[in-house]
Amino acid sequence: MLLEIKNLTASVEGKPILKGVDFSLDAGQTHAIMGPNGSGKSTLANILMGNPEYEVTGGSLLWNGTDLLGLEPHERALAGLFLSYQYPVEIPGLTVGKFLKRAAETRLEGEENLNVGSYLKEIRENMEFLEMDRNFINRYLNTGFSGGEKKRMEILQMLMFKPRLAILDETDSGLDIDALRVVSRGVNRLKGPGFSSIIITHYQRILDYVKPDRVHVLYDGRIVESGGPELVNELEKKGYEWIKKQVRGEVSHEQSVHSA
Amino acid sequence: MSSPSTVLNKEEYQHGYHFPDQSIFKTRRGLDEEIIRAISGQKKEPEWMLDFRLKAYEAFRQKSMPNWGADLSRIDFDNIYYYAKPTEEQKRTWEDVPEDIKETFDRIGIPEAEKKFLAGVGAQYDSEVVYHNLKEELEKQGVVFCSPEEAVQNHPDLVRKYFGTVIPYRDNKFAALNSAVWSGGSFVYVPPGIRVDIPLQAYFRINSENFGQFERTLIIADEGSFVHYVEGCTAPVYTTDSLHSAVVEIIALEGARVRYSTIQNWSGDVYNLVTKRAFAYKNATVEWVDGNLGSKRTMKYPSVFLKEEGAHGEILSIAFAGQGQEQDTGGKVFHLADNTSSVITSKSISKDGGVSSYRGMIKVHPGRKNIRSRVVCDALLLDEKSVSNTYPYMEIASEDVTMEHEASVSKISDDQLFYLQSRGFTEEEAAAMIVNGFLDPLVKELPMEYAVELNRLIELQMEGSVG
Amino acid sequence: MNSYDGFPLWYRELRGEAEKRAKEMPWPDARQEAWRRTNLKRLDLESLYKTEPAQPGFERTAPMNPQAPGPDNRNMRLSFLHDAVLGDYPGVKELYEAQFAAGDNKFIYRLLAEPPRGFYIYLPRNYSAENLLFLEDRLNGSGGETVTLNLVVLEAGARADLWERIGTEDSPVSLHNRATLVLLKRGARLSYYRTQSLPGESALLDFSRFHLKEGAELKSHQAESELHFNKSHVTAVLEERQSRADLRGVYRIGGSRFNEIFTEQIHLAPRCASRSLYRGVLEDEARTVFNGMIRVAPEAVGTDAYLTNNNLLMNDGCRADSIPGLKIATNDVKCSHGSTTGKVDPRQLFYLTSRGFSRTEAREILTRAFLE
């Protein structure tokens, strides 16, 4: 098991958000986590990355059998986790080129030296693949970028760092259809036995382009439904109200399926 | 040369080297007329320069200490050596330079730098220029780049015409002191229409305990010429207080452009009190790029007097105040003529209780037309015990003015830190990257190797600063 | 003349010390930063102080309210300051002591040393004044100095809008040395408007202070008309957390008048906010100094402070000095300031003249728009 989450509870500024999440993912798999706003999706993503603003109050997070909670954010990144943020932060003064180069250097082993020429070539190739202007390399990281440009910059980093697990936190939100297509292409490019992903989303749109192996519904801090790709369509048809009612026990699962 | 992005390890970059003092002529501690005559005599100066020194000494005695800015009460003028001459003669080639001096230069990368960009190197070891190398084509163009001592001997007309005209010896106590005991520095003259395409560099270094360094730089850019002068300072670690009090005068004649870049990284016990001023004549441009790290107290406000129509002044100021340090820096622009413009940009960083103060002045004289000025000050505070002060003075006595000023104080945001950490950087690296990013718009204006050095210095300063 | 018998001990001590300092201290001069740009020669202090002290327009006759305000109070009350000090009414000691502690010049000590003349306004807990309160200070000088203090105390949760007008009846040109001291207790809210209609040849020195406790809110508006000499020092002290102070002012100065405004936003507690916005128009040979300062103490985390000054210069010959400063001693802050100085935008001027306004009318319209 690549990632195993057991009975995870977490809070933000003292307010409980996650109320016992169980979740596991094998290497090479793509999982989707869906759910209405405020259900705890972004909290889960930030907890996985170790954001200090989110407090883990119970449960465990295992990464390849080792405890993830003991690792600093940068150690998690170097261990192969990657989070594509819903709202990437602007860092004025730090150019994209310098940032990517230094990030590559921190990932070198021992005495290894970065081959700057070939690394630059790889950046350019990936930028072309994501239909990004070459000039981005000289711009300050995310500074003054449009929403779509920021998302592409996140995917560019993912392509460059080649993580073992990428968590895409609402990467599709606010994207037009062309941008969504490009971003999805980036995720699909890495797909393979050594790459897993968790796609966190509100809508099914992105899942038309990136096919998930498993789909989970997060509601009120718990995973309340899990299933195959067909669950996406069911949610699409019935909306989240169905889930809400179901959790409140107003309708049984069977009933809701029949009444649809 | 290592790339700008390498995180430096401490062994590689210790500026604490201190070699046995080999000065062969050194005045006793303290200052009186006799010592000034001895300095002048050592330099075989003509009578007029000795007169200038003596008048300046009188002004120094009469002037009171500034009653504002950094605390200077610990300076003991009687406990300072005012002059030391390290080697007997001016050395023209690298081979002639004494071994331990060479070693010092090696460690700060002088010959290395020379191979790359340098037009000429006037590197200062204690008071005298011991190593001087000027590329032949510059000499052919008539460009003069030498020590002010040589200039007094070889170009007395230029020196007498301009020396002490921008900063009179009675300007302030420290300018008076420098005028009395100055030694070393640079003299630059660029003839009309000549563009010096590669920066002229001088690397200064104090290396005598309790030894005040009083270098004197005079740059004259004749009509339509261009020159970029670069000066950097690193001082070894001392246990007692040292005084650095330089004077820099720039004259940019009609249509000339002069850029003067400094990165100073004095050790933590140096008082760095420098007077820098430029006169910009018709359509001339003067730019000061001034980076201050280290030192115990720095007081430095590069100034531009826009004396004739169309002149432009620009000041970029960078300050980094660490533990026990006070950087009181900024800039001044005096709009004395119509159609003149100026920009002051200041970025300061305070850490470990350090105090950074921006102090600036924009003055528009009565009735001047079409004046534009913009002042932007940004301060970054790295922890809750550090201090940032901003004192911008604006005196506007003309209606045809567009004057804008903005200042802000901020800290490193947690969001930025976490973003970079989640990309694989340690908290310390992430903080250093954000600080370098904060300075980047100014650092870009520096020549490449200085930008690299500044980034390294910031990273060094940032070590152990978070977490 | 006044033995101060019956006054509280703290007052007698404070007053005595203030009197001593007022006597010993020299007049402020250019060596003090706050007076560096002030041309005190305009005041002719020697002859001002040869004149007998003025009889203020509101010299105490009989107590307005014989009972001292206290916790049982249900209503707002207005008293003579003399009675308020004598009866040690709520807030009096605190405000006097704060003013004493801030004292750094002879004028402030004179304010505290002179017999208490002025008003005391008290709003009890949760009292909400429905109508605008109007306070008129008639500073009738005799050619010398008038010294007046007004104290305003709002208990927790009280609310009021207060308009204070400083004026005079016909009287010889005088120097008016005054302050309004305001104490806003927890959650109190005050909108304060200060206008001034003194004869143009008068001189005015004002050292007003506002002290804000937890969650208190202040909106201060200050309109300056032109005086021969006008120096106003407005200080807001955010003493307890989550208080907010909003200081605004406009000035329009012509002739060869002098106007100087000092503002201080002093943040001593966490998560307070303050704004200072001052705008001025200068004409003829007028001279103004705006000197603003945001001070943030190490404890004042989460401070949000802003300071701005805009000057419009109508012609050559006038002069505007603008010195917005920051002194920040902790990093968890959002502090900034801005300053602009310029002339009437020729494009706007042209636009209005092309719509039929004369140049003079157009300039007047734009000036008013700027001060709006």
Side-chain angles (χ1 to χ4, degrees), chain A residues 53 89-92, chain B residues 320 348-351 379-384 409-421 426-439 458 462 465-467, chain C residues 330-334:
Chain A
E53 282 172 36
V89 174
E90 302 192 351
I91 304 188
Chain B
F320 193 115
S348 75
I349 295 161
S350 315
K351 173 177 173 285
L380 193 61
L381 289 168
L382 295 187
D383 51 60
E384 67 280 359
V409 178
S410 58
K411 63 169 183 169
I412 294 182
S413 94
D414 292 340
D415 289 347
Q416 290 179 335
L417 265 185
F418 176 67
Y419 185 86
L420 289 178
Q421 283 177 274
T426 64
E427 195 176 352
E428 205 170 79
E429 287 167 340
M433 287 169 88
I434 294 166
V435 170
N436 273 328
F438 171 76
L439 295 179
I458 298 289
M462 293 295 293
S465 65
V466 284
Chain C
T330 187
N331 69 333
D332 185 13
V333 297
K334 227 171 87 188

Side-chain angles (χ1 to χ4, degrees), chain A residues 11-14 46-47 50-56, chain B residues 413-416 418:
Chain A
S11 56
V12 181
E13 288 168 356
N46 277 283
I47 295 262
N51 189 335
E53 282 172 36
Y54 297 78
E55 192 198 352
V56 175
Chain B
S413 94
D414 292 340
D415 289 347
Q416 290 179 335
F418 176 67

Side-chain angles (χ1 to χ4, degrees), chain C residues 112-166:
Chain C
L112 297 167
E114 289 291 306
R117 290 192 204 98
F119 293 107
Y120 170 86
I121 296 174
Y122 178 82
L123 275 80
R125 202 180 169 85
N126 295 328
Y127 183 91
S128 190
E130 295 198 350
N131 297 320
L132 175 74
L133 310 177
F134 178 67
L135 182 64
E136 178 147 41
D137 300 347
R138 289 210 206 113
L139 306 174
N140 294 335
S142 60
E145 182 192 32
T146 73
V147 173
T148 49
L149 266 179
N150 290 332
L151 268 55
V152 179
V153 176
L154 269 67
E155 288 287 359
R159 288 175 186 201
D161 296 333
L162 172 67
W163 175 17
E164 187 172 20
R165 187 165 73 192
I166 303 165

Side-chain angles (χ1 to χ4, degrees), chain B residues 317-354:
Chain B
S317 172
I318 302 167
F320 193 115
Q323 191 171 10
Q325 295 175 344
E326 202 174 334
Q327 305 285 5
D328 204 290
T329 61
K332 300 181 195 174
V333 179
F334 296 82
H335 290 263
L336 301 159
D338 294 350
N339 303 315
T340 51
S341 56
S342 62
V343 180
I344 300 180
T345 311
S346 158
K347 297 248 183 190
S348 75
I349 295 161
S350 315
K351 173 177 173 285
D352 295 335

